[in-house]
Amino acid sequence: MSTVLEAIKPIEEYLVLTDEEIATRIEAAREELGSRVVILGHHYQRDDVIRHADLHGDSYQLSVLASQTNAEFIVFCGVHFMAESADILGKPNQQVILPDLGAGCSMADMASVDQVEDAWDQLAEIGIIGGSRRVAPITYMNSSAEIKAFCGRNDGVVCTSSNATKLFGQYLKEYDKMFFFPDQHLGRNTGAKFGIGLDEMVVWNPKEELGGNTAEELDNARLILWRGHCSVHGRFKEWHVDKIREDVPGVKVLVHPECTYEVVQKSDLNGSTSYIIKTVEAAEPGSKWAIGTEVNLVTRLAKRCPDKEIHLLAPDLCMCATMYRISPQSLCWAMENLVNGEVVNEIKVRGVTKEESLIALERMISMSGD
Ligand code: 13P
Ligand code: SF4
């Protein structure tokens, strides 16, 4: 009698196949599974993966698509926190599959729920939480389900780079202070859009008492920003902006808001991955763009818009190594195992974490209003 493990096809079998064989087999598996499967792909996925996606989008769009599909299997070509969100928003009978479990996000790993709870308790001890002030926790989508659940049970919300401005606007009307995790840059850039000065923002370092701040600094702050960042977007520097403006006269600089405050301030425009795509696609033929985001998106956009001059803002490769973990081989492996009735690499969020994180995600979707 064969065991479950024996029934699962090993990934090694796929590593020796040619690119063409892999592509043909992915399509054959999809054909066989029909409407039982949907393949979702984030904009940062490589070309040889994204070509197989039924639907693509930024992290917000993918979460909405996951909540709307009726497919039995959602094969998620993105990173772990995105697949988790798809499972939280999906229907009870659906199963979410991440073709490579190594596809994480280093920024999301910079905040654990224990650290966040400890920070919240420290703020309560000095009277910032639980006193007369209203404090809201807001987490970037790039965080664990446990942190989303923390926000769900504390009147907070999840946001993405495409709706952060809208959600901050609504929360700032009702709350005196916001605690934002884990991307300090998105938090700072979004706060600045509302005229919040840098002197009204403090950074919370989870390794230090009171996050490395005094009680007075925390009391005066409008925004408390978790000390996290994206290593990919952190590679764009101010001098890149100066250099490209010098080298390419008339260039417009368009960056993702995970870039530092200084880079965003020097740029012409900033927004989510979908915003970047829409802006460039709608731009005048002949216009010149320097884009500060992940290289796979930028090179694909350059191919799709040959009538525009498109540069990657930094000369070195700004690639998200964990997004890149999703390969045609791992996608083919996951799909063919599904055909054989084996669900591999399922991402499942359970119990109270699922219920409470769903509150924060649904709050995000309803507040986004689209
Ligand atoms: P988007 O919200 O633009 O999809 O960005 C997600 C992300 O991880 C960017 O690094
Ligand atoms: Fe995470 Fe940065 Fe990769 Fe986005 S680009 S998934 S934030 S490491």
Side-chain angles (χ1 to χ4, degrees):
M1 197 177 74
S2 73
T3 65
V4 172
L5 270 181
E6 281 164 1
I8 293 174
K9 286 178 172 234
I11 183 82
E12 287 73 21
E13 280 182 19
Y14 294 82
L15 306 180
V16 293
L17 300 176
T18 65
D19 294 351
E20 257 163 57
E21 279 171 319
I22 290 275
T24 311
R25 283 172 63 164
I26 293 172
E27 289 310 315
R30 181 222 292 289
E31 186 88 16
E32 181 126 7
L33 290 160
S35 61
R36 294 178 67 203
V37 71
V38 66
I39 304 177
L40 300 184
H42 187 266
H43 292 310
Y44 291 165
Q45 289 292 300
R46 40 206 268 199
D47 282 356
D48 52 8
V49 169
I50 205 83
R51 61 184 280 211
H52 298 291
D54 297 296
L55 302 163
H56 24 87
D58 63 15
S59 58
Y60 176 70
Q61 291 167 325
L62 292 172
S63 70
V64 174
L65 290 167
S67 73
Q68 292 170 342
T69 178
N70 290 319
E72 205 179 317
F73 307 114
I74 301 173
V75 176
F76 211 110
C77 299
V79 288
H80 191 271
F81 71 80
M82 297 179 183
E84 261 189 351
S85 300
D87 180 59
I88 296 162
L89 287 161
K91 299 171 182 66
N93 64 325
Q94 288 176 319
Q95 289 178 289
V96 178
I97 291 134
L98 184 66
D100 188 321
L101 292 178
C105 166
S106 53
M107 177 207 282
D109 294 341
M110 288 175 191
S112 71
V113 72
D114 289 348
Q115 290 173 322
V116 165
E117 275 174 354
D118 176 57
W120 200 251
D121 290 347
Q122 289 188 50
L123 291 174
E125 270 164 37
I126 57 169
I128 288 182
I129 288 164
S132 57
R133 310 280 194 77
R134 296 202 71 203
V135 186
I138 303 196
T139 190
Y140 193 22
M141 181 71 103
N142 304 32
S143 58
S144 67
E146 286 78 12
I147 293 181
K148 292 183 176 81
F150 174 86
C151 291
R153 66 177 171 270
N154 286 292
D155 290 333
V157 73
V158 178
C159 75
T160 73
S161 56
S162 63
N163 57 26
T165 308
K166 195 165 194 176
L167 270 56
F168 266 51
Q170 298 187 42
Y171 266 81
L172 283 169
K173 277 189 214 143
E174 280 182 47
Y175 290 84
D176 304 299
K177 218 182 269 298
M178 285 166 16
F179 197 172
F180 185 72
F181 349 92
D183 185 13
Q184 59 171 299
H185 301 302
L186 178 67
R188 189 175 293 114
N189 289 323
T190 312
K193 288 184 185 163
F194 291 91
I196 301 178
L198 295 184
D199 55 348
E200 297 174 278
M201 305 184 198
V202 293
V203 175
W204 184 280
N205 178 351
K207 298 203 172 96
E208 289 184 35
E209 192 72 17
L210 291 184
N213 306 286
T214 62
E216 195 188 356
E217 283 166 340
L218 289 162
D219 199 37
N220 292 335
R222 195 81 206 282
L223 274 184
I224 305 172
L225 305 169
W226 195 265
R227 192 169 183 246
H229 66 274
C230 165
S231 48
V232 178
H233 290 92
R235 293 175 76 159
F236 298 106
K237 306 288 180 201
E238 283 176 87
W239 71 264
H240 291 134
V241 182
D242 296 335
K243 175 102 175 44
I244 199 91
R245 290 204 195 279
E246 217 175 279
D247 292 351
V248 186
V251 73
K252 282 222 166 73
V253 179
L254 168 55
V255 302
H256 196 281
E258 286 176 15
C259 291
T260 64
Y261 174 77
E262 292 74 18
V263 168
V264 168
Q265 288 297 308
K266 277 197 171 224
S267 69
D268 296 293
L269 296 163
N270 70 86
S272 75
T273 50
S274 292
Y275 173 83
I276 291 173
I277 294 169
K278 267 190 243 151
T279 305
V280 174
E281 282 180 344
E284 290 285 302
S287 55
K288 301 170 192 176
W289 295 90
I291 301 182
T293 196
E294 211 270 351
V295 66
N296 279 295
L297 185 161
V298 181
T299 44
R300 194 152 51 239
L301 199 52
K303 270 192 233 152
R304 255 214 328 261
C305 301
D307 58 333
K308 287 144 207 163
E309 188 180 315
I310 296 174
H311 303 262
L312 180 65
L313 177 58
D316 54 340
L317 202 66
C318 289
M319 191 187 75
C320 177
T322 46
M323 282 272 180
Y324 196 78
R325 292 291 295 262
I326 307 293
S327 61
Q329 288 79 7
S330 58
L331 176 58
C332 188
W333 170 73
M335 292 287 285
E336 289 196 347
N337 272 299
L338 279 183
V339 170
N340 285 349
E342 301 295 343
V343 177
V344 291
N345 290 4
E346 185 181 1
I347 303 298
K348 197 98 211 129
V349 181
R350 296 176 201 276
V352 184
T353 304
K354 184 159 190 162
E355 282 161 31
E356 293 178 340
S357 53
L358 181 61
I359 295 171
L361 280 166
E362 286 187 335
R363 199 171 279 150
M364 168 187 81
I365 293 175
S366 72
M367 288 176 73
S368 298
D370 50 23

